[in-house]
């Protein structure tokens, strides 16, 4: 009756891939209608023979590096992970990377990985990137540290800081990581459904502790408490100065979920569909929770499958479709398991086999057991 944990490990990494691969074609479109989505799925199904795969983008390329690094080092190792990010980029620069993150790869390479946190600190005039590039690659960290939330938070933060040192960037990645962990470890029982309200409240509880702490993760901008106060006054009006930034975003998620069926335009306005971590990670969490219930105009293409619905709904919002669908897909996959990923999607998306074997290795590292599914 209950999905095996192994199935949920694989589901999370494969859910991330199908979101990225299917979403990539729609990235940056302001609107995506159901017919367009339906036509895309039909053409995907019709592809046969060699070269029938839909390609993944930077989201998956970086997720693979995170997983490979954790698996090979059996721990988080910043220079190993940084080297994998950069080397993957130089081998395959055309995967659609963020405009600024490529500077970090260049610097890492030129500086021969001397201080792997240096370049990211210099991004955006020293404010650091708040792009969603930390969150989009974080799923393997949730699997690796499934049983140890403190460790999970630390690795999520430290692995994100290699490229994203803005508080909104790394706290967003931590939030996404915690969402995958919660979905993964939620006990399925036939009669007890996940309480969506509690799912969000649990995340708020954890983010409250994280956001309440004096910002000490970014050593380049580490300031005394007095300096921090001055800085707070100076940055009034800048959302980054708010103490409980993601806690507040999660409150919006909770409210929108309680409204049931909400027009897409409202979701886009309140939560966002952008490339910034704070305008996409709460959205991905919303997509997972919203799609536990049917979505009227997706009935004909989701075939009653809540994971497929999650991915398609995320794409239907437009904007940063590959990334939001990938993050929502990894939460949904952790909850529903690999059996819920449509077999046509598994067959036609690039990188599914690799993600499956990585998930099995991470399962072994996290539980000591061998994955037999
Ligand atoms: N890059 C894209 N999509 C754009 C076009 C792709 C298109 N399909 C094509 O054909 O070319 N997608 C990928 O980028 C996102 C992840 O980005 P990441 O890794 O966070 O990169 P970066 O460069 O650090 O940040 C992204 C942009 O965010 C803005 N930004 C971030 N921090 C900022 C700050 N402190 N101040 C001002 N702006 C900031 C900048 O515009 C950055 O370039 C994913 O969507 C992935 O799919
Ligand atoms: Mg991408
Ligand atoms: Mg430099
Ligand atoms: Mg994207």
């Amino acid at each position: 009756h209950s999905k095996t944990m192994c199935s949920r490990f694989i589901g999370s990494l494969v859910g991330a891939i199908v979101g990225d691969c299917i979403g990539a074609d729609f990235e940056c479109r302001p609107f995506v209608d159901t017919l367009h989505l339906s036509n895309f799925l039909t053409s995907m199904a019709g592809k046969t023979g060699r070269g029938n795969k839909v390609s993944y983008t930077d989201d998956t390329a970086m997720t693979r590096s995170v997983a490979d690094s954790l698996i090979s080092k059996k721990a988080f190792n910043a220079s190993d992970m940084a080297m994998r990010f950069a080397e993957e980029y130089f081998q395959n620069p055309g995967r659609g990377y963020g405009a600024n993150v490529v500077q970090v790869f260049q610097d890492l390479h030129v500086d021969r990985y001397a201080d792997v946190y240096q370049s990211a600190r210099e991004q955006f005039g020293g404010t650091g990137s708040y792009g969603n590039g930390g969150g989009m690659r974080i799923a393997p960290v949730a699997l690796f540290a499934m049983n140890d939330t403190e460790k999970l938070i630390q690795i999520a933060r430290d692995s994100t800081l290699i490229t994203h040192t803005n508080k909104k960037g790394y706290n967003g990645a931590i939030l996404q990581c915690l969402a995958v962990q919660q979905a993964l470890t939620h006990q399925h029982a036939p009669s007890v459904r996940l309480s969506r309200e509690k799912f969000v409240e649990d995340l708020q509880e954890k983010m409250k502790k994280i956001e309440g702490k004096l910002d000490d993760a970014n050593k380049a901008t580490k300031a005394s408490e007095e300096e921090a106060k001055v800085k707070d006054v100076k940055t009034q009006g800048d959302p980054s100065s708010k103490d409980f930034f993601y806690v507040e975003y999660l409150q919006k998620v909770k409210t929108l979920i309680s409204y049931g069926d909400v027009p897409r335009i409202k979701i886009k306005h309140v939560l966002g569909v952008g490339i910034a971590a704070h305008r996409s990670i709460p959205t991905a969490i919303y997509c997972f929770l919203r799609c536990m219930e049917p979505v009227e105009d997706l009935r004909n293409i989701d075939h009653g499958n809540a994971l497929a619905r999650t991915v398609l709904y995320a794409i239907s919002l437009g904007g940063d479709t590959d990334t939001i669908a990938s993050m929502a897909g990894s939460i949904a996959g952790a909850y529903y398991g690999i059996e819920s990923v449509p077999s046509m999607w598994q067959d036609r998306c690039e990188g599914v086999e690799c993600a499956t074997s990585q998930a099995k290795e991470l399962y072994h590292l996290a539980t000591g057991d061998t994955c037999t599914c």
Side-chain angles (χ1 to χ4, degrees):
H1 60 279
S2 67
K3 300 281 169 232
T4 67
M5 188 50 78
C6 173
S7 157
R8 296 166 80 172
F9 267 60
I10 301 171
S12 184
L13 295 195
V14 173
I17 289 203
V18 298
D20 180 22
C21 289
I22 302 172
D25 215 60
F26 302 89
E27 197 182 20
C28 302
R29 283 177 194 272
F31 299 100
V32 177
D33 64 38
T34 313
L35 182 65
H36 191 169
L37 263 173
S38 170
N39 288 341
F40 184 81
L41 293 173
T42 305
S43 83
M44 205 172 133
K47 288 188 177 190
T48 52
R50 276 167 64 94
N52 68 348
K53 302 270 189 202
V54 180
S55 301
Y56 63 73
T57 77
D58 59 323
D59 304 52
T60 301
M62 296 198 81
T63 304
R64 281 168 77 135
S65 293
V66 170
D68 276 337
S69 182
L70 293 172
I71 291 164
S72 84
K73 295 291 175 189
K74 297 184 170 56
F76 170 64
N77 179 313
S79 40
D80 180 78
M81 198 176 282
M83 209 176 292
R84 287 174 195 273
F85 288 157
E87 281 174 7
E88 165 59 36
Y89 167 72
F90 288 112
Q91 271 173 34
N92 263 307
R95 293 272 188 193
Y97 284 86
N100 293 74
V101 73
V102 297
Q103 182 63 50
V104 175
F105 304 142
Q106 304 276 3
D107 289 347
L108 283 168
H109 180 77
V110 169
D111 300 343
R112 295 178 171 275
Y113 308 95
D115 174 0
V116 293
Y117 291 116
Q118 181 57 34
S119 175
R121 284 189 208 116
E122 293 170 358
Q123 291 281 74
F124 299 96
T127 60
S129 175
Y130 53 64
N132 54 20
M136 77 182 182
R137 64 181 190 237
I138 212 69
V141 175
L143 309 189
F144 180 76
M146 173 184 72
N147 297 314
D148 185 342
T149 304
E150 283 311 307
K151 183 166 126 186
L152 175 149
I153 292 167
Q154 199 178 333
I155 301 178
R157 183 186 290 120
D158 292 348
S159 65
T160 299
L161 285 171
I162 297 170
T163 48
H164 295 69
T165 65
N166 189 289
K167 192 170 182 176
K168 284 182 268 179
Y170 60 79
N171 278 347
I174 292 171
L175 172 58
Q176 169 65 16
C177 198
L178 289 168
V180 174
Q181 182 205 29
Q182 275 189 199
L184 192 68
T185 54
H186 182 270
Q187 297 286 334
H188 282 292
S191 54
V192 192
R193 228 191 60 158
L194 176 143
S195 157
R196 298 186 290 178
E197 198 179 10
K198 184 164 187 307
F199 189 90
V200 179
E201 285 168 359
D202 288 349
L203 287 174
Q204 284 182 303
E205 204 58 47
K206 292 167 195 166
M207 291 309 293
K208 206 177 249 174
K209 283 191 200 146
I210 292 161
E211 297 192 297
K213 271 189 206 150
L214 184 68
D215 177 14
D216 65 351
N218 185 351
K219 298 187 177 67
T221 57
K222 190 173 176 178
S224 71
E225 213 148 339
E226 221 30 63
E227 281 169 329
K229 274 182 206 148
V230 174
K231 201 174 148 209
D232 263 7
V233 174
K234 278 189 192 153
T235 53
Q236 256 174 9
D238 172 0
S240 67
S241 67
K242 279 191 191 169
D243 278 343
F244 298 104
F245 191 69
Y246 282 104
V247 175
E248 286 168 23
Y249 256 101
L250 287 164
Q251 193 62 32
K252 295 178 195 174
V253 170
K254 203 165 84 174
T255 305
L256 288 166
I257 286 295
S258 77
Y259 292 162
D261 191 13
V262 178
R264 286 181 172 87
I265 190 82
K266 173 115 182 158
I267 303 304
K268 291 159 73 142
H269 178 73
V270 176
L271 299 179
V273 287
I275 210 167
H278 51 292
R279 298 297 287 170
S280 52
I281 290 161
T283 316
I285 295 167
Y286 172 81
C287 290
F288 164 63
L289 296 172
R290 167 68 186 90
C291 293
M292 293 192 144
E293 299 290 342
V295 175
E296 193 51 43
D297 61 7
L298 296 177
R299 278 180 193 279
N300 291 329
I301 54 172
D302 69 21
H303 304 287
N305 174 331
L307 183 143
R309 184 185 310 135
T310 302
V311 167
L312 296 171
Y313 178 78
I315 298 170
S316 77
L317 293 173
D320 195 358
T321 50
D322 62 337
T323 305
I324 298 173
S326 181
M327 295 191 295
S330 75
I331 304 170
Y335 186 69
Y336 299 110
I338 186 62
E339 295 81 1
S340 290
V341 182
S343 54
M344 186 277 279
W345 295 15
Q346 291 190 48
D347 189 54
R348 301 300 147 87
C349 291
E350 179 190 11
V352 169
E353 290 87 353
C354 173
T356 303
S357 62
Q358 287 182 326
K360 289 181 177 179
E361 302 249 28
L362 289 166
Y363 178 80
H364 183 66
L365 287 175
T367 66
D369 295 336
T370 302
C371 193
T372 51
C373 64

